[in-house]
Amino acid sequence: MTTTVPHWLDGKAFPGDLAKTSPIHDPATGEVIAELAHATPDEVERVIASSSAAFETWSQVSLSKRSSILFRFRELLVEHTDELARIVTREHGKVISDAKGEIARGLEVVEFACGIPQLLKGEFSEQAATGIDVYSFRQPVGVVAGITPFNFPVMIPLWMSPVAIATGNTFVLKPAGRDPGAGMLIAELWKEAGLPDGVFNVVHGDRSVIGRLLTHPDVAAVSFVGSTPTAKLIHETATKNGKRCQALGAAKNQGIVLADADLENAANNLIAAAFGAAGERCMALPVALVQDEIADELVSLLVEKAKAVKVLPGDHPDSDMGPIITEQAKARITALIDSAEEEGAEVLVDGRGLVVEGFENGWFLGPTVLDRVRPDMRINQEEVFGPTLEIIRISGLEEGIALINASPYGNGTALFTSSGEAARTFQRAVQVGMVGINVPIPVPVAWHSFGGWKDSLIGETHMYGPEGVKFFTRGKVITQRWPHREDEAAKVSFHFSGDSQK
Ligand code: NAD
């Protein structure tokens, strides 16, 4: 009998009526490993009511108490890293070391949020006018919904929830239906860390559940990460319903390799950034824009290294790359490679049709290197989200920047060079939110913020870091005077500026 993954309500598992469920698969075997409960409308109401009630008390809890819970949560995440990584690998398919990598990046955000007393200190202007002090601080917004994608089932809930909770909000997680297990363990760890019941709830389900989160009057803010059409829909619906919303979307990151780059280093970085997590990363680097004069040399390095990538189930000790998330995704990626070949790209390493011994029903694809791709080819126009590396040959930096800036997306990019001048030109001209110089996947550390430009982020504020604090709080400014009866200032004044100029 398969188990059913329940919701998490008021500090405990909540199965709901189980009228509707959906299967969760192990992508390495294709087998169903569990079922996922879908919430009914009444159950969504219960979850939001619990979060609203918890907000009344949690928002009053002292900063030092909140911070101590975050410190404990951090320790528990460290203690449970192996268990969390195993769950991620089983449901998502990525290799264990990569699952641990995403936990480490999430942990960084928890560490950032541990410093919340410092982050919420506010500002004070003493004697802004005679006898008047002005000060400002930020307060939580209320119930926050976090809707997350399948590809980082630990890191992305941890981009959002530690900052939302540290700033005094309550958080409802709606994890991706394909790999919800890590979100459930995170809920347990919050509870064990001493977080009061109802501050972190989890609800599962499809569009109807999300629709209620986006329209419910008691939800104040929505943090979303996923594909661009969904990001646009989420942002439009949430903001139309009076909520603040940050909706991070898809990506098609392109990196430039100039002739003066260290080619061995560039090749190693490109292979890792294109094929790590089977390319299912919003910060993957699936397109290399390579300067003509070194293109042949770099391509032969890439082919050699791509052929050496070991594709095995994610929990195999020798695995570099696991399976694709679903059979449908595998078919979609295969069709995109077919289309590139039909349009004239050279398939130098072909991952189609790969069969892993003992795992014949798993959803595996091998690394695929495509040379002489043109920007107008379908594969270059779409986000592949799979293990493909497209090579486009360019004349130099200017052409590379123009190609990057022509993309509707602007999540991440990278430049490989040994020229400081080229790097400076690139970082200033490129219309992308996160830029790497000889760094292929420039995911910012937690005390900066994460966010792309253009169709990679709908909304204004980036995720976590200082912008995360801003997103989950609203400002309040106090203008304060303590007048004596006999003061001039205490008398009636009809001037707008009053005595502030005195
Ligand atoms: P997705 O858009 O299919 O799903 C994301 C979330 O939205 C899930 O929780 C899902 O249940 C929900 N959802 C899906 N369709 C919906 C709809 N019509 N209405 C309301 N909710 C809906 O994305 P995914 O396949 O889980 O994740 C992959 C995508 O996420 C890729 O496009 C990737 O680039 C993007 N992504 C972006 C970032 C970033 O930081 N910009 C990070 C990770 C992933």
Side-chain angles (χ1 to χ4, degrees):
M1 225 182 85
T2 52
T3 53
T4 303
V5 177
H7 316 285
W8 184 266
L9 174 65
D10 283 333
K12 45 189 171 306
F14 170 61
D17 81 352
L18 299 179
K20 184 173 173 193
T21 63
S22 58
I24 300 166
H25 293 89
D26 175 350
T29 61
E31 282 165 11
V32 174
I33 48 175
E35 290 287 325
L36 179 68
H38 284 228
T40 63
D42 279 355
E43 288 162 6
V44 182
E45 289 298 327
R46 277 187 64 180
V47 169
I48 298 173
S50 149
S51 304
S52 296
F55 177 71
E56 295 306 316
T57 45
W58 177 246
S59 55
Q60 302 304 318
V61 168
S62 72
L63 292 176
S64 57
K65 175 75 186 161
R66 287 186 219 163
S67 172
S68 71
I69 291 172
L70 278 150
F71 271 104
R72 179 76 190 115
F73 180 56
R74 184 213 176 267
E75 292 311 304
L76 288 167
L77 281 170
V78 172
E79 281 168 30
H80 290 265
T81 292
D82 288 348
E83 188 183 352
L84 262 176
R86 270 198 306 277
I87 295 171
V88 171
T89 295
R90 192 160 139 84
E91 295 178 353
H92 175 285
K94 66 176 73 175
V95 301
I96 292 277
S97 58
D98 195 36
K100 288 185 179 173
E102 77 159 286
I103 296 165
R105 293 314 301 264
L107 203 63
E108 247 182 40
V109 181
V110 182
E111 287 162 359
F112 168 77
C114 285
I116 201 64
Q118 170 73 12
L119 295 163
L120 287 183
K121 269 194 329 200
E123 294 181 321
F124 195 100
S125 301
E126 189 207 10
Q127 194 76 336
T130 306
I132 293 182
D133 300 327
V134 178
Y135 53 101
S136 59
F137 50 83
R138 302 190 70 85
Q139 293 187 313
V141 294
V143 177
V144 173
I147 302 164
T148 56
F150 81 84
N151 66 324
F152 285 110
V154 173
M155 183 179 78
I156 294 182
L158 292 182
W159 279 0
M160 303 169 178
S161 60
V163 183
I165 288 172
T167 47
N169 302 280
T170 55
F171 191 85
V172 181
L173 174 67
K174 205 306 284 174
R178 284 160 263 171
D179 49 11
M184 295 305 291
L185 181 52
I186 287 172
E188 279 181 45
L189 299 182
W190 273 120
K191 162 100 179 165
E192 203 180 328
L195 192 72
D197 293 349
V199 179
F200 185 91
N201 287 325
V202 184
V203 66
H204 308 289
D206 54 20
R207 287 175 206 185
S208 64
V209 169
I210 296 167
R212 195 58 192 135
L213 291 171
L214 299 178
T215 53
H216 199 291
D218 293 344
V219 174
V222 177
S223 227
F224 171 86
V225 180
S227 57
T228 291
T230 315
K232 287 185 172 167
L233 182 72
I234 298 269
H235 189 266
E236 190 186 330
T237 314
T239 53
K240 207 184 268 175
N241 283 278
K243 301 171 199 331
R244 55 176 67 186
C245 181
Q246 50 178 189
L248 277 62
K252 181 82 185 185
N253 303 327
Q254 308 179 69
I256 299 177
V257 185
L258 292 183
D260 62 10
D262 173 338
L263 294 193
E264 179 70 23
N265 175 60
N268 285 338
N269 279 295
L270 286 170
I271 291 291
F275 304 130
E280 294 170 326
R281 289 179 181 147
C282 64
M283 289 295 274
L285 201 52
V287 185
L289 307 171
V290 183
Q291 199 162 10
D292 276 323
E293 46 264 58
I294 45 99
D296 287 341
E297 192 184 340
L298 183 70
V299 166
S300 67
L301 281 173
L302 290 171
V303 166
E304 179 196 318
K305 289 172 193 292
K307 285 182 175 161
V309 173
K310 290 191 222 58
V311 184
L312 288 162
D315 59 0
H316 192 289
D318 295 335
S319 181
D320 295 320
M321 192 180 112
I324 306 297
I325 186 72
T326 60
E327 200 164 15
Q328 294 79 354
K330 179 182 164 179
R332 185 183 50 74
I333 298 161
T334 305
L336 279 169
I337 301 169
D338 293 345
S339 76
E341 192 172 31
E342 280 154 25
E343 290 179 80
E346 290 175 18
V347 187
L348 301 183
V349 181
D350 192 348
R352 291 170 293 185
L354 176 90
V355 175
V356 176
E357 207 185 315
F359 296 86
E360 288 75 10
N361 295 324
W363 303 322
F364 290 93
L365 266 178
T368 296
V369 178
L370 298 157
D371 196 7
R372 301 193 185 274
V373 171
R374 292 188 318 272
D376 64 337
M377 288 180 181
R378 189 180 144 211
I379 195 161
N380 191 250
Q381 302 281 320
E382 292 185 24
E383 182 189 45
V384 179
F385 225 56
T388 56
L389 177 58
E390 300 164 40
I391 291 149
I392 298 181
R393 292 164 182 244
I394 56 167
S395 56
L397 184 62
E398 205 178 318
E399 187 186 356
I401 292 173
L403 284 174
I404 292 169
N405 289 352
S407 168
Y409 303 110
N411 215 39
T413 186
L415 173 69
F416 295 93
T417 184
S418 56
S419 158
E421 188 190 2
R424 189 167 185 277
T425 302
F426 175 73
Q427 73 196 35
R428 295 194 70 233
V430 80
Q431 290 166 19
V432 173
M434 292 170 285
V435 179
I437 307 294
N438 297 311
V439 171
I441 306 186
V443 174
V445 289
W447 52 99
H448 288 264
S449 298
F450 180 107
W453 285 17
K454 303 201 264 185
D455 277 359
S456 296
L457 188 148
I458 322 296
E460 293 78 34
T461 36
H462 291 193
M463 197 73 64
Y464 65 75
E467 295 214 12
V469 173
K470 189 170 166 215
F471 180 74
F472 291 122
T473 56
R474 48 191 169 174
K476 191 177 266 185
V477 187
I478 315 296
T479 302
Q480 171 182 274
R481 173 166 65 198
W482 300 100
H484 293 297
R485 272 268 156 100
E486 58 278 12
D487 280 357
E488 276 293 303
K491 296 179 185 153
V492 176
S493 165
F494 294 100
H495 298 229
F496 175 62
S497 62
D499 65 347
S500 69
Q501 303 303 315
K502 288 181 189 166

